[in-house]
Amino acid sequence: MIPTPSQTVGPFFSLGLDWPDGPYAVADDVPGAIWLRGRIVDGAGDPVPEGMIEIWQADPAGRFAHPDDPRGSAATPGFRGFARCGTDPDGRYAVRTVKPGPVPGDGELFQAPHIDVSVFARGLLDRLVTRVYFADEPAGNAADPVLAVVDPERRSTLLAQPGPDGYTFDIVLQGDHETVFFAV
């Protein structure tokens, strides 16, 4: 059998997308490590199995693990700042990371602590891009220039809620409670 157009992302999705560190954006021994957990669901609330999220973020000092960061590379030992995690049959994912610090924005503005997230799933020809902000950062969120352009009624779709060992952030791909996605 040959794949049909709707299957071209399907059975071949994970080939070449494995990441050596998997869902670990930090080494096991990094102090202050947390879990970012959630589910990817469709508009009907059904889980999206065999999906994947990819994160990119700054460390607690607001620096990226990249040599092009003008302030210098990440200051946190064991911080990688990037991870990939597939979803299980119930659409769940879990990424081990640290809570990021504020990062510079345009001019003198700082962006609130956030994690950039790409969502990949069967049926999506392009990735979806969103951000995870933290509900327990109200002052930073109120001043964030990106959140400022999001409809106030929809900002809650970008807020991770504190949990026992980190934060929870569910991603809704469509429908009334669709997560805000950005055109990049």
Side-chain angles (χ1 to χ4, degrees):
M1 300 184 115
I2 60 170
T4 64
S6 65
Q7 294 174 318
T8 56
V9 178
F12 311 111
F13 187 66
S14 68
L15 294 178
L17 292 179
D18 289 336
W19 182 247
D21 296 318
Y24 299 96
V26 294
D28 288 337
D29 60 349
V30 170
I34 60 169
W35 283 100
L36 175 64
R37 302 177 193 272
R39 294 180 71 217
I40 301 176
V41 298
D42 65 17
D46 293 330
V48 175
E50 301 175 9
M52 183 183 75
I53 68 160
E54 181 178 277
I55 70 160
W56 173 251
Q57 69 172 87
D59 72 355
R63 293 184 173 171
F64 291 93
H66 194 280
D68 289 343
D69 188 320
R71 295 160 300 129
S73 191
T76 304
F79 175 76
R80 297 183 273 272
F82 179 87
R84 284 186 178 151
C85 182
T87 59
D88 70 9
D90 294 320
R92 292 183 301 235
Y93 69 86
V95 175
R96 183 87 165 151
T97 189
V98 290
K99 189 173 179 185
V103 297
D106 290 334
E108 300 293 317
L109 297 177
F110 270 79
Q111 297 178 37
H114 68 276
I115 298 174
D116 294 316
V117 178
S118 291
V119 179
F120 301 86
R122 221 179 304 164
L124 296 176
L125 297 179
D126 292 313
R127 70 184 173 136
L128 298 175
V129 177
T130 190
R131 281 185 167 193
V132 176
Y133 288 90
F134 300 90
D136 57 0
E137 294 281 346
N141 293 342
D144 186 87
V146 175
L147 271 177
V149 300
V150 173
D151 178 350
E153 296 292 319
R154 299 198 56 221
R155 287 182 192 152
S156 65
T157 70
L158 298 175
L159 297 179
Q161 300 300 319
D165 61 355
Y167 291 86
T168 301
F169 182 75
D170 291 335
I171 299 168
V172 180
L173 297 182
Q174 60 204 142
D176 293 338
H177 304 289
E178 178 180 325
T179 300
V180 171
F181 297 106
F182 299 94
V184 293

